[in-house]
Amino acid sequence: MKPLTALAFDFGTRSIGTAYGQTVTDSARELPPLPARDGQPDWNQLQRLVEEWQPKLLLVGLPLNMDGTESELSQRARKFGNRLHGRTGLPVEFVDERLSTRAAKEEAFERGHRGNFARDPVDSIAARIILEDWLRSRSA
């Protein structure tokens, strides 16, 4: 397999977490979250992010219910992913993100987060976790 770079997105209605990773070292890093209005990012800002990091693949976390069924938010995440593909021309994969937000909050508390997730979201931590899970699944 040849090396692959990816941007991951943790879709949210007020903030969209972002992370960058690559398969050479199977590593990922958090990037600043994108502000959103009712799930809509500043598409120009998102395009600049894609131009800066030049990923070959875009990953979008899919917030499934614990039983694996889709919710209204997962349908909105799919719509976001479809728009990403339409605007960038890059392939988009959806990644099961169940429990990534919980893991992101736990990690944030370990880093000293005070618990005000509206003011200080953990979406980019979640995006990094989604990307790391995807990387692990490729090497399994």
Side-chain angles (χ1 to χ4, degrees):
M1 288 185 167
K2 65 181 188 173
L4 185 66
T5 55
L7 276 177
F9 298 91
D10 179 50
F11 175 80
T13 57
R14 292 184 296 179
S15 177
I16 298 172
T18 61
Y20 172 81
Q22 43 80 23
T23 59
V24 173
T25 60
D26 282 341
S27 62
R29 65 177 272 204
E30 298 157 29
L31 300 173
L34 300 170
R37 285 185 89 150
D38 194 28
Q40 293 293 315
D42 175 338
W43 289 103
N44 292 325
Q45 186 179 9
L46 197 145
Q47 185 62 42
R48 286 190 297 275
L49 185 70
V50 169
E51 289 168 4
E52 178 181 353
W53 291 97
Q54 299 186 358
K56 300 298 179 216
L57 175 68
L58 303 176
L59 303 170
V60 175
L62 193 59
L64 299 171
N65 294 318
M66 290 310 292
D67 65 1
T69 60
E70 291 207 11
S71 65
E72 179 185 337
L73 194 58
S74 54
Q75 293 169 1
R76 293 184 72 180
R78 280 192 189 279
K79 190 174 186 177
F80 169 74
N82 292 337
R83 285 185 176 151
L84 267 177
H85 173 69
R87 288 175 177 266
T88 65
L90 293 169
V92 172
E93 281 187 33
F94 294 94
V95 179
D96 182 352
E97 69 158 61
R98 281 179 278 186
L99 302 179
S100 66
T101 299
R102 176 182 289 171
K105 287 179 178 179
E106 289 173 6
E107 185 176 321
F109 281 127
E110 289 172 7
R111 294 183 189 180
H113 196 287
R114 299 191 184 276
N116 186 339
F117 298 111
R119 187 172 344 127
D120 189 12
V122 296
D123 304 311
S124 287
I125 297 172
R128 191 203 77 235
I129 290 169
I130 291 164
L131 184 46
E132 288 171 342
D133 287 347
W134 179 82
L135 288 165
R136 268 193 299 278
S137 74
R138 285 180 46 86
S139 59

